[in-house]
Amino acid sequence: MKQFALKIYPVYLVAIMLAGLLAFPAYAELQESYISTDYQKGDFVVANNNDVASLYVDSQDYKGVIRAVSNLHGDIFKVTGQQGRIVTESTSAASLIIIGTLGHSQLIDKLVATGKINVSGIRDQWEAFIIQTVDNPVAGIEKALVIVGSDKRGSIFGVYDLSEKIGVSPWYWWADVAIKKHQQLFVHKDTLIQDQPKVRYRGIFLNDEAPALTGWVKEKFGDYNSQFYEHVFELLLRLKANFLWPAMWNNAFSLDDPNNSILADEMGIVMSNSHHEPMMRADKEWDRVGKGKWDYAVNKDNLYQFWQQGAQRHKNLESIFTLGMRGQADTPMSETENIGLLEEIVADQRQILKETFSDRDISEVPQVWTLYKEVQGYYEKGMRVPDDVTLLWSDDNWGNIRRLPTPEERKRSGGAGVYYHFDYVGGPRSYRWINSTQISKVWEQMNLAYQYDATRIWITNVGDLKPMEFPTDFFLRLAWDPERWPKEKLQEFGQQWAAQQFGSQYAEQIEHLLTAYTRHNARRKPELLDENTYSQLHYNEAERISAELEGLVSQAESLYRKIPQNNQNAFFQLVLHPIKANSILFELYNNVAKNRLYAQQGRASTNRYAKQARQKFTEDAELTQQYHQLEDGRWNHFMDQTHIGYTHWNNPPANTLPYVAQNQPADVADMGVAVEGSVAAWPQTGALSLDTFSPYGQSRRYIDIYNKGKRSFEYEVTASEPWIKISKSKGNVLVEQRVWISIDWQQVPQGKVTGSVLIKGTGWGGANVNISAFNPERKPQQGFIEADGYVSIMAASGRASNSHAGSGWQEIPLYGREQSAMSSFAPLDQRFTDTDNAPYLEYDVYLFNPQQLQVHTIVAPTLNFVPGRGLRFAIGFDDQPPQMIDILANSQHSDWQQAVSDGVRSVLTEHQLEQPGAHKLKIYMLDPAVVIQKIIIDTGGLQPSYLGPPPSQYLP
């Protein structure tokens, strides 16, 4: 059942006080605030020159609430420079901030009893809070700001909501975000905020934490102890999160420091252990204190006792008990699906819990069964756990949810949740180094989880935590209230997040940078990048990416110089470093690619690109060192993860420079010629050819004239036809020069024509390059125009038609490889079985050469998360019967590996058109959650590239 959340603003105060349960919705954003730095009559004074409000908290309230109040006290001082008081008894004061939990604060309960505050909207609710200004709450107090929680965490979240609003970012400690200074702080009169989460447990998993996080923890704290975890817990609470799977690679949360569990419970963090660590016992605990083999079939007694001890240890601590069992070190339990044994294990674990918690019903003890990897197979083959156990479905480790609850499963009292990944160790490639997660992808997948009522637990693997700050923040805020952040607000979220960290002046530019670098990484994760990823030959692809990244670096460096100095370290961590790191890595491989291509072509410049590759390898290490030196080494060891030179799924032991070629040019002048789109070069090969020109296609193509030796030479370029335009007809080459060829469409005859360009320099005869152009007799009137052998269309360029009853194609901004994507949406459990009434996308295209066509529909690697249902759409031209396509109908493991590596799937269909001219391509919705990024119609000239050709020219 979805939790109810409400935010109410000043004008509604009187009505709420009278109506009690009456709710007035308002849309609250990340930065929307009830705080002002300018006083208006009737405002509550938090700080005003030398006057600062005192803070009241009952000494009998929860320790976690008292700790949060202490942090708020410190935050007010950091912001205003004024030191207020914390009082635990009612006192006379002009302004007092009263904080407390229902039933645990005498003053709060008195305010409720006297009708000064109305808590009917939060009583008995989960983690709900009210923030309200109250005049004359009790004798001697003129005005109060009251923060009241329905429970411990409700109070804590209310406190940290105020901290955030006065100018303390949740990332002030973890990313060195500067505190926003204000001498005056006021709360708007008649403020009334009421809020509570829609996902019950919201948290992160610290995982794959060596070498970076572990190296840092060992240096700064000695171990994963309570001094370290205090900072993790506080961050989570400031982000209104409540749940943690702790670091586990070489650590055991409860054994490393007995105070870890105690502090978590005191502060308000619900602890559990990861998907393969049952009964509140870490994997590494068995290594330290376990007896015998980790195998329930042969070592039941010792394992049973081991789990009993874990349950007993956490009997009085707020925890979620993981059920089930996998092999040690997060491996399958056995080579076969021994469902009977696993059912016995779960039954025995439940018995342990019944014995441990004999004072309550077993259904009141939070339990979870994580259906991760092969464990989902057990469930699909019939294994079940009691209804009160939460089913935690998983993604595929690459951000694509594998399964969501069916209508029957939604009736389970234990509910369901999702285990998500921003980081992963495993095939087809580990990715841990840097953030590669688009918040638009997180939204698209977790919105499905919310729609399908998987709202009991949302937890995401954040790896080392840094540098996943941006998606972590978004994930946890989305979990608090998914309806607050619809897809139309994704860009706004980025802008407001940037404003919170760095101020509003450059928020739009910073959001652009965050979105752009994560888009680049989502195209292909850095660990999968190599010299063959982006084409050196077609569509100017590698150069376009290079220019894009160079532009981002330039913008980021410019902003770095402009922002206040006290926030430059935060900007470096959150913005500048990931952008520069990605650019350096790309350019390293870009130079390696050019080095190898030019070596094959015999260019003297081969060695230059080898040198530049080595330079980028050095720059990568220097940038990491710059990160380590921030704040006098505050973040030493972060970014230590190796990321260059992968050859299989796991990382190499150290960054390794890829092989680069060397040549030894002779002390002569020796001309070579290469053309765009071809590895072959003159004089090794005969005549070269450029792809056919079209007035609606690529406007120019290049010819490279290069030296194979050390001495310069003169060259001359002549065209056989007057319609062939040459950017430079003669020159001197020491290393290489690029000559651009274009067409004078005023002179070229209609139809397909041919000509040539002759380059004379050294060598016999010179190099001849064939030039062809197609100047159509019939001029297209409308649509995307065929040129260069293809039509390339961004999915969001189409018309969405026939939407009805909540079903239809909608744009997801900022999604995927380019600017956005189109996704099929439908009410819960609805789909279309045919195309008669289905919503569709329509694209006008103009084709000069009707023939057998191939259409590549580029879709997201979404999985068929509803059992027994495919992931389908239909496609067709004009009035032809549409082809019904199930994206995953014949998918193999290798197809999945390719899809997650590329970040997309390419669905190929064939179509026959008999007539040239205008056509309509239609893509019909059948199943929801199909996400289309791009459509490429191959009319015979599509060339290999990673991203496909740029969008075709469109005539309106």
Side-chain angles (χ1 to χ4, degrees):
M1 187 175 192
K2 294 183 176 65
Q3 301 289 327
F4 176 73
L6 171 68
K7 285 212 188 308
I8 308 168
Y9 286 92
V11 70
Y12 306 128
L13 176 62
V14 175
I16 290 298
M17 294 297 290
L18 292 175
L21 295 176
L22 185 60
F24 292 85
Y27 201 83
E29 309 295 354
L30 181 64
Q31 286 294 86
E32 192 170 342
S33 182
Y34 44 84
I35 293 288
S36 173
T37 56
D38 295 316
Y39 180 77
Q40 299 292 326
K41 185 178 180 181
D43 284 355
F44 174 82
V45 177
V46 177
N48 185 14
N49 298 323
N50 294 320
D51 185 18
V52 61
S54 297
L55 284 75
Y56 166 87
V57 62
D58 195 308
S59 60
Q60 299 305 306
D61 211 325
Y62 293 100
K63 290 182 179 180
V65 175
I66 295 171
R67 178 189 287 267
V69 171
S70 177
N71 285 342
L72 173 61
H73 178 255
D75 290 346
I76 292 173
F77 176 72
K78 292 172 186 174
V79 172
T80 67
Q82 300 179 58
Q83 189 78 56
R85 294 187 304 149
I86 297 178
V87 297
T88 57
E89 295 182 359
S90 183
T91 182
S92 297
S95 58
L96 182 67
I97 301 176
I98 302 171
I99 300 156
T101 311
L102 289 178
H104 294 266
S105 170
Q106 291 185 8
L107 185 51
I108 290 292
D109 291 345
K110 181 178 180 180
L111 295 177
V112 174
T114 57
K116 292 291 186 178
I117 56 174
N118 183 345
V119 296
S120 58
I122 67 168
R123 190 180 294 279
D124 299 324
Q125 297 299 306
W126 177 263
E127 298 180 348
F129 64 86
I130 290 174
I131 300 175
Q132 179 178 344
T133 56
V134 178
D135 292 330
N136 303 310
V138 293
I141 300 175
E142 180 181 333
K143 186 180 286 289
L145 179 67
V146 179
I147 301 174
V148 55
S150 63
D151 54 21
K152 174 172 65 176
R153 278 188 296 275
S155 300
I156 292 169
F157 293 149
V159 168
Y160 284 131
D161 193 88
L162 178 59
S163 279
E164 185 174 3
K165 295 302 189 294
I166 67 174
V168 180
S169 166
W171 299 98
Y172 81 97
W173 194 90
W174 278 98
D176 301 314
V177 175
I179 304 294
K180 294 177 174 60
K181 305 287 189 179
H182 299 287
Q183 287 188 334
Q184 300 185 129
L185 292 172
F186 309 99
V187 177
H188 299 310
K189 64 178 180 179
D190 297 341
T191 286
L192 175 57
I193 307 294
Q194 181 177 308
D195 207 0
Q196 63 192 87
K198 290 183 176 168
V199 175
R200 190 173 183 85
Y201 297 104
R202 310 163 305 280
I204 64 173
F205 180 19
L206 298 176
N207 191 217
D208 311 327
E209 63 270 20
L213 180 61
T214 295
W216 177 77
V217 167
K218 296 285 187 182
E219 178 181 307
K220 305 301 182 183
F221 298 96
D223 203 352
Y224 283 92
N225 53 35
S226 56
Q227 288 75 37
F228 160 73
Y229 275 113
E230 179 180 4
H231 297 292
V232 177
F233 299 156
E234 182 186 327
L235 172 68
L236 290 174
L237 295 170
R238 286 180 181 269
L239 291 169
K240 296 189 178 75
N242 61 4
F243 186 50
L244 179 68
W245 286 355
M248 45 69 64
W249 263 25
N250 294 297
N251 294 89
F253 181 76
S254 295
L255 295 188
D256 290 341
D257 182 349
N259 288 324
N260 281 344
S261 299
I262 296 169
L263 180 65
D265 188 72
E266 175 186 305
M267 290 184 68
I269 298 299
V270 182
M271 292 302 303
S272 188
N273 287 96
S274 68
H275 54 89
H276 72 103
E277 299 176 294
M279 300 297 287
M280 295 305 300
R281 303 224 63 166
D283 179 70
K284 292 300 179 283
E285 289 192 60
W286 184 257
D287 292 340
R288 300 182 193 179
V289 300
K291 298 177 182 179
K293 190 176 182 181
W294 181 264
D295 186 341
Y296 207 68
V298 300
N299 195 24
K300 175 177 178 176
D301 290 345
N302 284 326
L303 281 163
Y304 193 96
Q305 184 180 18
F306 179 71
W307 290 335
Q308 278 182 317
Q309 293 166 355
Q312 189 63 38
R313 185 174 64 194
H314 285 263
K315 179 179 180 179
N316 297 317
L317 303 174
E318 197 173 5
S319 311
I320 300 179
F321 288 86
T322 297
L323 302 184
M325 186 177 186
R326 293 191 82 214
Q328 278 202 283
D330 198 14
T331 59
M333 186 170 66
S334 64
E335 294 182 3
T336 59
E337 294 179 341
N338 193 339
I339 293 176
L341 177 60
L342 190 55
E343 288 177 331
E344 178 187 354
I345 289 169
V346 171
D348 286 352
Q349 290 168 342
R350 295 269 293 182
Q351 183 59 37
I352 291 171
L353 293 177
K354 288 178 182 178
E355 295 168 356
T356 304
F357 297 93
S358 57
D359 58 336
R360 72 186 81 167
D361 190 277
I362 185 67
S363 64
E364 298 175 6
V365 179
Q367 303 154 68
V368 63
W369 185 33
T370 306
L371 301 163
Y372 180 70
K373 288 193 174 180
E374 81 287 345
V375 180
Q376 182 176 324
Y378 301 161
Y379 184 89
E380 305 295 5
K381 292 186 177 181
M383 180 178 169
R384 293 294 182 267
V385 294
D387 269 14
D388 58 89
V389 177
T390 301
L391 298 180
L392 189 64
W393 302 102
S394 176
D395 67 356
D396 61 353
N397 301 303
W398 292 72
N400 307 293
I401 296 174
R402 299 171 68 199
R403 179 78 145 70
L404 287 172
T406 63
E408 281 301 310
E409 290 163 351
R410 282 175 229 141
K411 299 175 184 177
R412 300 178 71 260
S413 61
V418 171
Y419 168 36
Y420 203 73
H421 285 77
F422 297 160
D423 161 289
Y424 178 59
V425 170
R429 186 66 55 86
S430 297
Y431 62 96
R432 299 198 278 158
W433 173 51
I434 207 164
N435 176 31
S436 58
T437 299
Q438 293 179 297
I439 66 168
S440 52
K441 174 66 176 281
V442 175
W443 179 89
E444 184 261 333
Q445 287 289 291
M446 299 312 295
N447 179 64
L448 290 170
Y450 181 62
Q451 182 183 10
Y452 281 77
D453 209 20
T455 57
R456 184 59 59 93
I457 300 173
W458 284 13
I459 187 166
T460 185
N461 185 331
V462 300
D464 298 316
L465 182 56
K466 296 176 69 65
M468 308 299 181
E469 298 95 338
F470 182 48
T472 298
D473 196 306
F474 178 75
F475 182 91
L476 295 176
R477 291 185 193 271
L478 188 70
W480 180 266
D481 184 1
E483 294 175 17
R484 188 179 302 174
W485 296 110
K487 60 185 182 302
E488 294 81 8
K489 295 283 186 178
L490 293 175
Q491 185 175 46
E492 187 174 327
F493 177 90
Q495 291 172 355
Q496 292 180 11
W497 192 82
Q500 183 184 74
Q501 317 315 320
F502 306 109
S504 59
Q505 183 176 4
Y506 305 113
E508 290 186 12
Q509 297 97 309
I510 293 171
E511 181 277 328
H512 166 72
L513 294 171
L514 293 170
T515 298
Y517 98 72
T518 50
R519 176 189 297 123
H520 172 75
N521 282 349
R523 288 168 175 162
R524 194 168 189 87
K525 295 187 183 296
E527 292 84 348
L528 279 158
L529 194 67
D530 62 29
E531 63 278 2
N532 299 311
T533 301
Y534 292 102
S535 176
Q536 296 288 329
L537 300 172
H538 303 297
Y539 310 125
N540 200 30
E541 186 172 69
E543 297 310 306
R544 284 191 292 116
I545 299 299
S546 179
E548 179 182 315
L549 291 174
E550 183 180 345
L552 295 179
V553 171
S554 177
Q555 294 173 53
E557 289 182 329
S558 176
L559 285 177
Y560 179 75
R561 292 188 291 268
K562 293 177 181 178
I563 64 172
Q565 187 174 1
N566 67 344
N567 233 347
Q568 287 182 337
N569 283 344
F571 187 86
F572 181 86
Q573 295 166 58
L574 300 174
V575 184
L576 182 57
H577 172 269
I579 290 172
K580 290 189 72 172
N582 284 315
S583 177
I584 290 169
L585 185 66
F586 172 82
E587 291 300 344
L588 186 156
Y589 286 117
N590 192 28
N591 280 289
V592 169
K594 286 178 168 54
N595 166 263
R596 295 185 187 178
L597 173 63
Y598 293 174
Q600 187 175 349
Q601 294 174 340
R603 301 195 191 199
S605 61
T606 297
N607 293 348
R608 172 199 293 174
Y609 290 99
K611 181 180 179 180
Q612 290 178 183
R614 294 191 189 96
Q615 180 180 340
K616 292 300 175 184
F617 188 77
T618 300
E619 287 180 16
D620 175 87
E622 291 173 345
L623 187 67
T624 301
Q625 185 63 21
Q626 184 179 352
Y627 198 110
H628 291 168
Q629 291 172 349
L630 291 173
E631 301 277 354
D632 297 323
R634 175 169 164 80
W635 303 114
N636 189 32
H637 294 295
F638 277 103
M639 311 312 303
D640 275 354
Q641 177 62 42
T642 53
H643 50 278
I644 304 174
Y646 279 71
T647 58
H648 70 312
W649 71 266
N650 203 11
N651 57 273
N655 289 326
T656 307
L657 179 69
Y659 161 77
V660 288
Q662 293 290 134
N663 69 2
Q664 294 183 342
D667 190 21
V668 297
D670 188 5
M671 183 178 79
V673 175
V675 301
E676 181 176 348
S678 176
V679 175
W682 181 91
Q684 292 97 320
T685 190
L688 301 168
S689 298
L690 288 174
D691 289 341
T692 300
F693 286 89
S694 163
Y696 306 103
Q698 187 174 324
S699 62
R700 62 178 190 167
R701 293 185 170 87
Y702 65 79
I703 298 172
D704 281 347
I705 305 168
Y706 60 86
N707 202 343
K708 300 165 69 177
K710 294 182 178 178
R711 296 182 179 238
S712 64
F713 62 85
E714 304 290 329
Y715 71 87
E716 183 177 357
V717 184
T718 56
S720 66
E721 305 295 335
W723 46 266
I724 300 175
K725 297 168 65 176
I726 302 167
S727 66
K728 192 174 184 180
S729 61
K730 61 178 62 177
N732 180 277
V733 172
L734 177 61
V735 180
E736 54 198 2
Q737 288 192 20
R738 179 159 287 182
V739 175
W740 291 96
I741 305 299
S742 57
I743 304 298
D744 183 347
W745 294 106
Q746 299 299 317
Q747 296 194 55
V748 67
Q750 291 184 337
K752 186 170 183 178
V753 295
T754 59
S756 62
V757 166
L758 179 65
I759 302 101
K760 288 188 175 181
T762 68
W764 182 82
N768 199 59
V769 179
N770 296 320
I771 309 295
S772 59
F774 173 63
N775 189 15
E777 298 179 12
R778 179 185 295 181
K779 303 302 181 185
Q781 299 300 313
Q782 183 181 12
F784 293 94
I785 313 303
E786 175 193 0
D788 303 335
Y790 65 84
V791 180
S792 178
I793 306 169
M794 302 311 300
S797 301
R799 295 185 299 275
S801 301
N802 205 33
S803 300
H804 52 81
S807 297
W809 293 97
Q810 298 179 32
E811 184 178 9
I812 302 179
L814 313 181
Y815 186 100
R817 291 175 159 192
E818 303 297 338
Q819 299 300 319
S820 66
M822 296 298 290
S823 181
S824 52
F825 289 84
L828 186 62
D829 300 322
Q830 292 191 17
R831 64 192 303 215
F832 291 86
T833 57
D834 56 51
T835 61
D836 290 347
N837 297 305
Y840 59 89
L841 291 168
E842 186 175 65
Y843 304 89
D844 294 319
V845 297
Y846 194 95
L847 305 175
F848 295 108
N849 301 297
Q851 56 182 335
Q852 186 80 16
L853 303 173
Q854 289 188 331
V855 177
H856 301 259
T857 306
I858 310 302
V859 302
T862 313
L863 298 176
N864 47 348
F865 53 87
V866 175
R869 190 179 83 183
L871 197 63
R872 304 169 309 137
F873 68 92
I875 184 170
F877 281 91
D878 304 324
D879 296 325
Q880 294 181 356
Q883 299 180 36
M884 312 282 277
I885 305 298
D886 187 340
I887 296 169
L888 300 169
N890 300 304
S891 181
Q892 305 296 315
H893 183 66
S894 58
D895 297 321
W896 170 82
Q897 288 184 309
Q898 188 69 51
V900 296
S901 296
D902 295 344
V904 296
R905 294 179 187 269
S906 180
V907 180
L908 183 65
T909 54
E910 295 190 351
H911 308 261
Q912 182 70 45
L913 295 178
E914 302 298 334
Q915 298 296 326
H919 294 275
K920 293 185 184 297
L921 175 64
K922 297 181 180 180
I923 300 179
Y924 298 84
M925 171 186 173
L926 296 177
D927 292 324
V930 174
V931 184
I932 301 177
Q933 299 189 28
K934 192 172 187 176
I935 303 103
I936 305 170
I937 304 171
D938 183 3
T939 61
L942 184 66
Q943 300 292 347
S945 66
Y946 186 65
L947 299 177
S952 297
Q953 185 179 153
Y954 178 79
L955 295 180

